[in-house]
Amino acid sequence: MNRKKIIAGNWKMNLLPLEAETLIDTLQANLQPQLNISYAIMPQAPLIETCMHYLQGGGTISIGAQDCSAHISGAYTGEISPQLLKSLGCRYTIVGHSERREYHNESNELVSQKANLLLGLDIQPIICIGETDQERKDNLHFEKVKTQVQSIWQNAALTHQSKIVLAYEPIWAIGTGNVATAEQANEMHTFIRKTIAEVSSPTLANTISILYGGSAKPDNVASLAKQPDIDGFLVGGASLSAESFLTICNAFPS
């Protein structure tokens, strides 16, 4: 199945405007685009417009956001309206990142609510799912991820489901020194696709892109990219280095 490949850089709470411009400039100058691969970066919210302006509204790199509100507008101080993200030209928005789920107690229901608003605005949500170290040790990792996937499909509007992007984050492999093997990652991606087929349809399951988000780095992406059910990467720290991110962008064979 020739699914769309997506390589997205989550800058998290890093970079100031001049640093962002320098990084984008280097990426634009050196990125060799490939057919069927989309490239995106997700800066801090106040940098989105800066990055959009610097890209001059085009090029091979899309701009996305790291999160959004579960409300279109209103008295929600400090939140980011998905409608505003749409007006700024964001193509993607991450929702349900493990850090949001852990530090801000975001539930499956809240994540689904955000995703549904984005879908209605024609912004593709990159919905993060994954298990903790303890859940894997207790052999609960498949159950945890299945519950997360089921919650997404219970709340997604039928007309927009094909626009969903998933990102598998083995939380136990992020910043811990532990490494998920390519086979472990693909095993979960295959399971996720099987679960989508059960809650929706095999056709949709074979259409949706599932990214790997467990500390994707230049030294592990080549083996990950060879796996049949891995359709790209949600990159954290390695996206802050042009050299590292470009290596990851070239992981899939042309």
Side-chain angles (χ1 to χ4, degrees):
M1 187 70 176
N2 192 25
R3 288 180 294 272
K4 185 75 175 181
K5 302 289 192 301
I6 301 169
I7 300 174
N10 176 14
W11 288 359
K12 304 191 178 184
M13 200 174 70
N14 294 291
L15 303 184
L16 298 176
L18 288 179
E19 295 170 323
E21 290 176 3
T22 299
L23 179 51
I24 289 175
D25 188 48
T26 305
L27 292 176
Q28 285 195 112
N30 294 281
L31 183 61
Q32 301 297 319
Q34 296 184 47
L35 292 176
N36 203 41
I37 300 182
S38 292
Y39 309 93
I41 53 175
M42 284 76 173
Q44 297 181 73
L47 289 176
I48 289 174
E49 193 166 17
T50 297
C51 292
M52 284 287 189
H53 178 74
Y54 204 67
L55 286 171
Q56 296 179 338
T60 58
I61 304 172
S62 298
I63 302 296
Q66 297 176 15
D67 188 36
C68 71
S69 174
H71 305 276
I72 288 291
S73 62
Y76 302 101
T77 301
E79 293 287 283
I80 303 166
S81 165
Q83 196 171 50
L84 175 62
L85 298 179
K86 175 69 175 179
S87 72
L88 292 174
C90 288
R91 180 175 177 183
Y92 302 100
T93 297
I94 302 169
V95 293
H97 192 281
S98 58
E99 293 162 359
R100 298 292 309 179
R101 291 180 187 265
E102 179 182 358
Y103 305 146
H104 299 273
N105 299 311
E106 294 197 355
S107 65
N108 289 335
E109 292 71 24
L110 180 65
V111 171
S112 295
Q113 188 177 351
K114 291 182 178 185
N116 220 29
L117 283 179
L118 292 166
L119 289 167
L121 291 166
D122 200 28
I123 298 174
Q124 287 191 265
I126 298 178
I127 308 173
C128 298
I129 55 179
E131 80 282 3
T132 65
D133 182 48
Q134 191 60 52
E135 287 164 340
R136 180 163 277 263
K137 287 178 179 176
D138 292 342
N139 202 31
L140 297 173
H141 48 301
F142 291 121
E143 180 181 338
K144 169 69 173 295
V145 170
K146 185 172 187 175
T147 298
Q148 291 175 320
V149 173
Q150 288 173 332
S151 176
I152 294 165
W153 260 265
Q154 286 169 357
N155 293 282
L158 292 175
T159 54
H160 298 308
Q161 290 184 7
S162 62
K163 298 176 183 177
I164 291 172
V165 178
L166 297 181
Y168 169 56
E169 293 184 292
I171 301 169
W172 50 274
I174 301 175
T176 62
N178 298 320
V179 178
T181 66
E183 292 73 23
Q184 283 177 315
N186 192 70
E187 178 186 39
M188 184 59 85
H189 281 233
T190 302
F191 175 78
I192 292 167
R193 213 173 293 285
K194 178 182 176 182
T195 303
I196 297 170
E198 292 172 355
V199 298
S200 182
S201 71
T203 299
L204 187 67
N206 286 322
T207 301
I208 284 182
S209 298
I210 305 175
L211 317 184
Y212 178 72
S215 291
K217 297 177 181 178
D219 59 359
N220 65 8
V221 290
S223 59
L224 289 163
K226 294 176 182 177
Q227 302 301 313
D229 278 309
I230 294 179
D231 305 315
F233 304 105
L234 179 59
V235 188
S239 68
L240 299 173
S241 160
E243 181 179 1
S244 295
F245 192 59
L246 287 167
T247 298
I248 295 170
C249 287
N250 293 323
F252 290 98
S254 57

